[in-house]
Amino acid sequence: MEKKLQELRGRLREISDLRSATSVLYWDQTTYMPPGGAPARAQQVATLSRLAQEKFIDPALGKLLDDLAGYEAELPYDSDEASLIRITRREYERATKVPPQFVADFYGHVAESYEVWAKARPENDFAATFPYLQKTLDFSRQYADFYPGYEHIADPLIDDADYGMKAETVRQLFAQLRQQLVPLVQTITDQPVADDSCLREFYPEEKQLAFGRQVIEDFGYDFNRGRQDKTPHPYMIGFSVNDVRITTRVKENKLDEALFGTLHESGHAMYQLGINPDYEGTPLARGVSSGVHESQSRLWENQVGRSRAFWDHYFPKLQETFPDQLDRVSLDDFYRAINKVQRSLIRTESDEVTYNLHVMIRFDLELAMLEGQLAIEDLPDAWHARYESDLGCRAPDDRDGVLQDMHWFDGFIGGAFQGYTLGNIMSAMFFDQAISECPQIPEEIGRGEFGTLHGWLKENIYRHGRKFTAEELVQRVTGGPITIEPYMRYLRSKFGELYSL
Amino acid sequence: MEKKLQELRGRLREISDLRSATSVLYWDQTTYMPPGGAPARAQQVATLSRLAQEKFIDPALGKLLDDLAGYEAELPYDSDEASLIRITRREYERATKVPPQFVADFYGHVAESYEVWAKARPENDFAATFPYLQKTLDFSRQYADFYPGYEHIADPLIDDADYGMKAETVRQLFAQLRQQLVPLVQTITDQPVADDSCLREFYPEEKQLAFGRQVIEDFGYDFNRGRQDKTPHPYMIGFSVNDVRITTRVKENKLDEALFGTLHESGHAMYQLGINPDYEGTPLARGVSSGVHESQSRLWENQVGRSRAFWDHYFPKLQETFPDQLDRVSLDDFYRAINKVQRSLIRTESDEVTYNLHVMIRFDLELAMLEGQLAIEDLPDAWHARYESDLGCRAPDDRDGVLQDMHWFDGFIGGAFQGYTLGNIMSAMFFDQAISECPQIPEEIGRGEFGTLHGWLKENIYRHGRKFTAEELVQRVTGGPITIEPYMRYLRSKFGELYSL
């Protein structure tokens, strides 16, 4: 068995090396690659992805997993070895269900679809994307059908990002959340909107970047094992458990964009950097799911980075960095500015309270399309109708309507959005639990100290990598199932105080 | 046949994609990778290199080449298809002669050896490197023996870098060159040494880089298909014929280092960027040999970049960039400074005239070691003795003696150095030929215009990629064999004028 396990590890390591190299190719492409490199780069990425996929769906790997099943059954469920075999099998079974030709066809299609969207969005030309979106929906349904026996056609797609979650579970969670959020948004937006003009002064790029770097270094993001570069869209990417990088986008007249983006991505990165190094080169060396990953980025961005305690410590430092812009701004006003709540059209620019309404609109539309209840041609109007009913505003065009997110133009319809809100819900559960076990955390945040929180997250979440499902992890950490109560409590308490509700 | 050729191209493309990805991993490692990434990166590079090698020595590829032999025989020798089959077969045959285990063992050994050298050099500790160097010599001899039937044991090693060259040919060329160089060096160094203190002022990094970038853009290096970054050791690297990058090292009190390094690397890069794009993804999409590649970097660095005509145009611009440092320096004095000739200890810092003597010392010592005439333990003394006899100076220690270059600690003993001097010799042959066909070139250089020269090089050298051997290329371009006469004429004319000989 020892020998078979070693062979399994060897094969997984090779696949992991190919995938890491593909990630480096992507990182280079978005940061430093000269434009001329693009065609060859697409070809290189395609070749390496294909080789990794071929090696992963190799029947010899399936055979090894079969041979190891008896051995696995004798080990504790949460042991490293049993988990390695279990998670590898889970991913192997998912991967082998989909014919390679389908994968190739689909990636060929989305590459085109993305290009069409990138051109159509600025031109407000939904019609141009229509045939692509229709084809994407067909692909998405076919994909679901490779996993027969699902309860809801979206389930196999949701599984990809948030393994174990079902359309029905998510729908119920979201329904509860919506029921509480809609009146909260109403109460808040009945009041005058906060003034955030202080964030719109001129903030030179270099100083913004230096300030953000200092904060995430204080968080515990290790620049010896990571770095930050600029890209048009911020993201986190890992090439090993000891090389996890982030990117950011800076706007010199929008102080919050790079700053909170940096805190957000550092949360993703610290998660990956905290994975047990023994998992390197295996499927365990990743985060649990899209939702759990998002819970870690949101926790540092929002629960920490937009908290009053945090700014007690950092606002004087921010004023020192930008005296001309901020010397006459009070901490109270700044705190209100970075937590301004407003009904708005763009998901990525929305606040903590309304954000989830944006996500739920997309989630519901995905389900309706997959169910065949909503035709692609009716999608733009359905979008506008839901924005009017849920957020009380209507985009003047499709550019800021259905064309605003790249997700449906760059991947499947289904499973693309729920992780954001699941992440928000879990971030509050985890943060609550951390504080109940280490009540000194809020005070430490007020002193710019994050060691206790970071250590707790490492011990309870990071180090496990992909060993558990989201539901298992939440159960282990909080002792119960996923629930919206901590999140709603957090929002009510924070925004209740801000808006004297 | 069309189908077989297509299959050959498909296989080669896959191998090329793996190799390009490996190069991107290397580039990232030396430019931006955080230190923590090193162990995983070594593993990733090893995996990708192994996969590329396995795919290249696949007997199925040999079978394809055999099947295509008849087809090849009917095509003109210099047709793209015949050349593709011929060069692929040449490299396939070389690669399949060496057992994969030997390759793995050797690379394992040099990885260690390099680490030991990197530590031993600053500590002047030749003894520490002794067992490694001994093992490298053993490996080098074994390697040669995989190619039975050689005339000289160094021939198979020389072939790797400069295909078709033999120890005997090189020895004869070098003997002729040495015979003429030694008295020339003597005559020049009998005169007072030039004053290059003007290059040692403080030159801020950013301005140095900007000036260098401007010059190579004028040369025709296309920043849409390349870029320049900083590394501890400058190099050129290509990821496709449309993405060829260079790196540089800047010293703020040594103006010539980054500047001429940049011109040098841009020469390598323009060569690769000028290769026929139809060769992308095949063994033809590389330079001919180490010597021919070096001829292209040296040509832009020396024949162009250290010429009087070049500085007629650029010195006023350099003065504008660095008025405080250069306003009181005359063009004559600057020209003498950048062409200062001096007997010195360090190859990489030496001038155009003495440089080749450094190379020949190393070449002769390599042959003596491989022949068994020189034992590793006697190498440091042999080094000092040759420096005394050839260059009239002796290093105070091994740090600036036998430990100064990484080559023998990072690869085979044999074939490591001859390319530098072959490059110098060929650079003069090619430059002469270009001028004899386009006599306006020197005048154009004096106006900062390089289109004619760049175009001639593209047409006569770059576009062919690896299609011809060095000897074939020289014959095609100049109508004769490799000869030192143009190079000696160039040195005599330039330095004769500088030193009023």
Side-chain angles (χ1 to χ4, degrees):
Chain A
M1 281 308 133
E2 200 38 61
K3 228 189 110 196
K4 287 198 191 284
L5 203 58
Q6 212 179 325
E7 194 195 330
L8 179 67
R9 281 182 194 281
R11 284 174 177 267
L12 293 174
R13 162 64 80 168
E14 196 176 58
I15 293 159
S16 160
D17 287 339
L18 281 164
R19 288 183 179 158
S20 295
T22 313
S23 297
V24 175
L25 294 178
Y26 176 79
W27 177 87
D28 175 68
Q29 181 171 4
T30 56
T31 50
Y32 297 112
M33 188 182 78
R41 182 56 49 88
Q43 162 80 37
Q44 292 152 5
V45 167
T47 297
L48 267 69
S49 309
R50 181 175 51 72
L51 290 175
Q53 182 69 1
E54 280 173 14
K55 286 179 185 291
F56 191 61
I57 62 173
D58 186 338
L61 200 144
K63 176 76 171 52
L64 268 178
L65 291 167
D66 287 347
D67 293 349
L68 285 162
Y71 176 66
E72 177 196 356
E74 288 164 18
L75 297 169
Y77 179 85
D78 63 353
S79 69
D80 285 355
E81 292 194 344
S83 302
L84 172 64
I85 300 166
R86 181 178 69 251
I87 303 301
T88 305
R89 180 180 303 109
R90 183 177 101 194
E91 303 199 346
Y92 175 79
E93 284 173 358
R94 285 191 66 73
T96 48
K97 285 205 166 70
V98 185
Q101 191 57 50
F102 177 89
V103 177
D105 291 348
F106 180 64
Y107 283 108
H109 164 68
V110 290
E112 262 185 275
S113 164
Y114 177 85
E115 291 302 319
V116 169
W117 166 77
K119 193 167 167 292
R121 194 191 168 200
E123 293 168 1
N124 185 38
D125 186 4
F126 176 76
T129 69
F130 175 80
Y132 292 89
L133 216 43
Q134 183 62 57
K135 213 169 156 190
T136 300
L137 182 58
D138 295 342
F139 270 117
S140 306
R141 285 180 167 153
Q142 277 177 56
Y143 181 80
D145 286 337
F146 293 129
Y147 303 89
Y150 51 71
E151 285 171 25
H152 188 284
I153 185 170
D155 289 352
L157 293 148
I158 293 174
D159 253 8
D160 262 355
D162 291 285
Y163 183 82
M165 290 284 170
K166 301 211 173 311
E168 196 43 39
T169 332
V170 178
R171 190 139 49 179
Q172 281 179 21
L173 269 177
F174 284 10
Q176 292 166 26
L177 191 61
R178 184 154 178 263
Q179 204 181 9
Q180 302 195 34
L181 275 182
V182 169
L184 180 63
V185 170
Q186 186 62 51
T187 319
I188 293 175
T189 54
D190 281 347
Q191 300 198 27
V193 68
D195 174 10
D196 64 353
S197 58
C198 65
L199 307 175
R200 309 283 167 264
E201 303 284 318
F202 179 77
Y203 291 94
E205 174 167 315
E206 266 319 309
K207 287 189 171 183
Q208 283 197 50
L209 286 170
F211 186 84
R213 271 198 303 269
Q214 185 53 58
V215 173
I216 64 176
E217 234 177 320
D218 293 348
F219 281 177
Y221 177 68
D222 180 358
F223 277 92
N224 283 312
R225 300 164 65 217
R227 51 178 289 121
Q228 184 181 39
D229 298 272
K230 287 196 306 169
T231 51
H233 298 278
Y235 65 86
M236 176 279 304
I237 195 163
F239 309 138
S240 91
V241 297
N242 287 305
D243 185 357
V244 183
R245 309 185 190 179
I246 60 176
T247 72
T248 193
R249 161 174 65 191
V250 185
K251 293 195 181 140
E252 292 194 313
N253 61 351
K254 244 181 135 180
L255 179 64
D256 44 343
E257 173 130 355
L259 178 58
F260 291 106
T262 298
L263 309 194
H264 181 96
E265 299 306 332
S266 84
H268 283 304
M270 289 187 287
Y271 184 6
Q272 304 254 138
L273 287 167
I275 293 173
N276 184 341
D278 294 346
Y279 301 168
E280 180 92 289
T282 78
L284 296 180
R286 297 173 60 195
V288 167
S289 64
S290 142
V292 174
H293 234 306
E294 198 68 12
S295 77
Q296 298 311 302
S297 53
R298 289 282 165 179
L299 188 152
W300 288 100
E301 176 192 354
N302 290 335
Q303 271 89 350
V304 176
R306 289 189 210 262
S307 73
R308 177 71 195 219
F310 177 89
W311 288 105
D312 283 342
H313 180 78
Y314 282 103
F315 189 61
K317 294 178 191 299
L318 191 68
Q319 284 179 313
E320 267 171 48
T321 311
F322 300 111
D324 294 348
Q325 299 89 328
L326 291 175
D327 260 3
R328 275 160 307 178
V329 176
S330 72
L331 171 55
D332 274 347
D333 288 344
F334 181 79
Y335 180 60
R336 260 191 296 273
I338 60 167
N339 285 297
K340 171 174 131 174
V341 178
Q342 194 174 28
R343 297 173 190 273
S344 67
L345 293 168
I346 308 293
R347 175 182 63 85
T348 56
E349 295 172 6
S350 67
D351 56 83
E352 282 185 83
V353 186
T354 59
Y355 185 87
N356 301 292
L357 297 176
H358 293 262
V359 171
M360 290 176 205
I361 292 174
R362 289 153 177 79
F363 180 74
D364 290 343
L365 294 174
E366 281 191 323
L367 295 194
M369 284 188 278
L370 287 165
E371 289 163 0
Q373 303 293 317
L374 172 63
I376 299 285
E377 59 188 334
D378 300 326
L379 179 61
D381 283 343
W383 183 284
H384 291 310
R386 274 296 296 266
Y387 263 82
E388 282 196 5
S389 73
D390 287 28
L391 281 153
C393 54
R394 183 190 173 96
D397 53 26
D398 295 326
R399 182 176 18 219
D400 288 345
V402 69
L403 293 176
Q404 76 176 255
D405 297 306
M406 74 165 76
H407 301 56
W408 294 335
F409 304 93
D410 192 33
F412 289 117
I413 291 174
F417 289 99
Q418 77 285 333
Y420 294 113
T421 286
L422 292 173
N424 285 332
I425 294 170
M426 287 188 277
S427 71
M429 296 185 72
F430 292 140
F431 195 60
D432 252 24
Q433 189 64 31
I435 291 176
S436 82
E437 293 178 28
C438 315
Q440 72 273 34
I441 285 174
E443 224 181 273
E444 287 182 1
I445 292 177
R447 292 197 303 270
E449 292 167 14
F450 306 96
T452 305
L453 176 60
H454 194 172
W456 186 92
L457 291 167
K458 238 187 256 182
E459 176 60 25
N460 289 279
I461 296 171
Y462 299 175
R463 70 182 173 95
H464 300 305
R466 210 178 184 79
K467 195 184 249 188
F468 304 110
T469 66
E471 281 161 315
E472 287 167 353
L473 184 72
V474 167
Q475 183 71 43
R476 278 176 64 101
V477 174
T478 70
I482 297 178
T483 154
I484 64 163
E485 293 321 319
Y487 185 53
M488 283 310 305
R489 250 198 326 271
Y490 160 73
L491 289 182
R492 284 221 177 79
S493 146
K494 173 171 175 178
F495 291 92
E497 194 185 306
L498 264 161
Y499 287 88
S500 319
L501 304 180
Chain B
M1 281 308 133
E2 199 38 61
K3 228 189 110 198
K4 287 200 191 281
L5 202 60
Q6 211 179 327
E7 194 196 330
L8 179 68
R9 282 182 191 280
R11 285 174 176 267
L12 294 174
R13 162 63 80 168
E14 196 177 60
I15 293 159
S16 159
D17 287 338
L18 282 164
R19 288 183 179 156
S20 296
T22 314
S23 297
V24 174
L25 293 178
Y26 176 80
W27 176 86
D28 176 67
Q29 181 170 4
T30 56
T31 50
Y32 297 112
M33 188 183 78
R41 182 55 50 86
Q43 162 79 37
Q44 291 152 4
V45 167
T47 297
L48 267 69
S49 308
R50 181 175 52 72
L51 290 174
Q53 183 67 2
E54 281 173 13
K55 285 177 185 293
F56 192 59
I57 62 174
D58 186 337
L61 200 144
K63 175 77 171 52
L64 268 178
L65 292 166
D66 287 347
D67 293 348
L68 285 162
Y71 177 67
E72 178 196 357
E74 288 164 18
L75 297 169
Y77 178 85
D78 63 354
S79 69
D80 285 353
E81 293 194 343
S83 302
L84 172 64
I85 299 166
R86 180 178 71 251
I87 302 302
T88 305
R89 180 181 302 109
R90 183 177 100 194
E91 302 200 345
Y92 174 78
E93 284 173 357
R94 285 192 64 74
T96 47
K97 285 205 165 71
V98 185
Q101 192 56 51
F102 176 89
V103 177
D105 291 348
F106 179 65
Y107 282 108
H109 165 68
V110 291
E112 262 184 275
S113 164
Y114 177 84
E115 291 302 320
V116 169
W117 167 76
K119 195 168 165 291
R121 195 193 165 197
E123 293 168 3
N124 186 35
D125 186 4
F126 177 74
T129 69
F130 176 80
Y132 292 90
L133 216 42
Q134 184 62 56
K135 214 168 156 191
T136 301
L137 182 58
D138 295 342
F139 270 116
S140 306
R141 284 178 168 154
Q142 278 177 53
Y143 180 80
D145 286 337
F146 292 129
Y147 303 89
Y150 51 71
E151 283 172 27
H152 188 284
I153 185 171
D155 288 354
L157 293 148
I158 293 174
D159 253 9
D160 262 356
D162 291 286
Y163 184 82
M165 289 284 170
K166 302 212 173 309
E168 196 42 40
T169 333
V170 178
R171 191 135 55 176
Q172 281 179 23
L173 268 178
F174 284 11
Q176 293 166 26
L177 191 60
R178 185 155 177 261
Q179 206 182 6
Q180 303 195 35
L181 275 182
V182 169
L184 180 63
V185 170
Q186 187 61 53
T187 319
I188 293 174
T189 53
D190 281 347
Q191 300 197 30
V193 65
D195 174 11
D196 63 353
S197 57
C198 66
L199 307 175
R200 309 282 167 263
E201 304 282 320
F202 178 77
Y203 291 95
E205 173 167 315
E206 265 318 309
K207 285 187 171 183
Q208 283 197 50
L209 286 169
F211 186 83
R213 272 197 303 267
Q214 186 54 58
V215 173
I216 65 177
E217 234 178 321
D218 294 349
F219 281 177
Y221 177 68
D222 179 358
F223 277 93
N224 283 312
R225 300 164 64 217
R227 49 178 290 120
Q228 182 180 41
D229 298 272
K230 287 197 304 170
T231 51
H233 298 278
Y235 65 88
M236 174 280 304
I237 195 163
F239 310 138
S240 90
V241 297
N242 288 306
D243 184 357
V244 183
R245 309 185 189 179
I246 61 175
T247 72
T248 193
R249 160 174 66 192
V250 185
K251 293 194 181 141
E252 293 195 313
N253 61 350
K254 243 180 137 181
L255 179 64
D256 44 343
E257 173 130 354
L259 178 58
F260 291 107
T262 299
L263 309 195
H264 181 96
E265 300 305 333
S266 83
H268 283 303
M270 288 187 288
Y271 184 5
Q272 303 253 138
L273 287 168
I275 293 173
N276 185 340
D278 293 346
Y279 300 169
E280 180 91 288
T282 79
L284 295 180
R286 298 173 59 195
V288 167
S289 65
S290 143
V292 173
H293 234 305
E294 198 67 12
S295 77
Q296 298 311 302
S297 54
R298 291 280 167 181
L299 188 152
W300 288 101
E301 176 193 354
N302 291 334
Q303 269 90 350
V304 176
R306 289 188 209 264
S307 72
R308 176 73 195 216
F310 177 89
W311 289 106
D312 283 342
H313 180 77
Y314 283 102
F315 190 61
K317 294 178 191 301
L318 192 67
Q319 284 179 314
E320 267 171 48
T321 312
F322 301 111
D324 295 346
Q325 300 89 329
L326 291 175
D327 260 3
R328 275 159 307 177
V329 177
S330 72
L331 170 55
D332 275 347
D333 287 343
F334 181 79
Y335 180 59
R336 260 190 296 274
I338 60 167
N339 285 297
K340 171 174 128 173
V341 178
Q342 194 173 25
R343 297 173 189 273
S344 68
L345 293 167
I346 308 293
R347 176 182 62 87
T348 55
E349 295 172 5
S350 66
D351 55 83
E352 281 185 85
V353 186
T354 59
Y355 185 87
N356 301 294
L357 297 175
H358 293 263
V359 171
M360 289 176 205
I361 291 174
R362 289 153 177 78
F363 180 74
D364 290 343
L365 294 174
E366 282 191 322
L367 296 195
M369 285 188 277
L370 286 167
E371 289 163 1
Q373 303 292 319
L374 172 63
I376 299 286
E377 58 188 335
D378 299 326
L379 179 61
D381 284 343
W383 183 284
H384 291 309
R386 275 294 298 266
Y387 263 81
E388 281 197 4
S389 73
D390 287 28
L391 280 155
C393 54
R394 184 189 172 97
D397 53 25
D398 295 327
R399 184 177 15 220
D400 288 345
V402 68
L403 293 175
Q404 77 177 255
D405 296 308
M406 75 165 79
H407 301 56
W408 293 335
F409 303 93
D410 192 32
F412 289 116
I413 291 175
F417 289 99
Q418 76 285 332
Y420 295 114
T421 286
L422 292 173
N424 285 331
I425 293 169
M426 287 188 277
S427 71
M429 297 184 74
F430 292 140
F431 195 60
D432 253 24
Q433 189 65 30
I435 291 175
S436 84
E437 293 178 28
C438 316
Q440 72 273 35
I441 285 174
E443 224 180 273
E444 288 182 359
I445 292 177
R447 292 198 302 271
E449 292 167 15
F450 306 95
T452 305
L453 176 59
H454 194 171
W456 186 91
L457 292 166
K458 236 187 259 182
E459 176 60 25
N460 289 279
I461 295 171
Y462 299 174
R463 72 183 171 94
H464 300 305
R466 210 178 184 80
K467 194 183 251 188
F468 304 110
T469 67
E471 281 161 314
E472 287 167 354
L473 184 71
V474 167
Q475 182 72 41
R476 279 177 64 101
V477 174
T478 70
I482 297 178
T483 155
I484 65 162
E485 293 321 318
Y487 185 51
M488 284 309 307
R489 251 199 327 272
Y490 160 72
L491 289 182
R492 284 220 178 78
S493 146
K494 173 172 176 177
F495 291 93
E497 194 185 304
L498 265 161
Y499 287 88
S500 318
L501 305 181

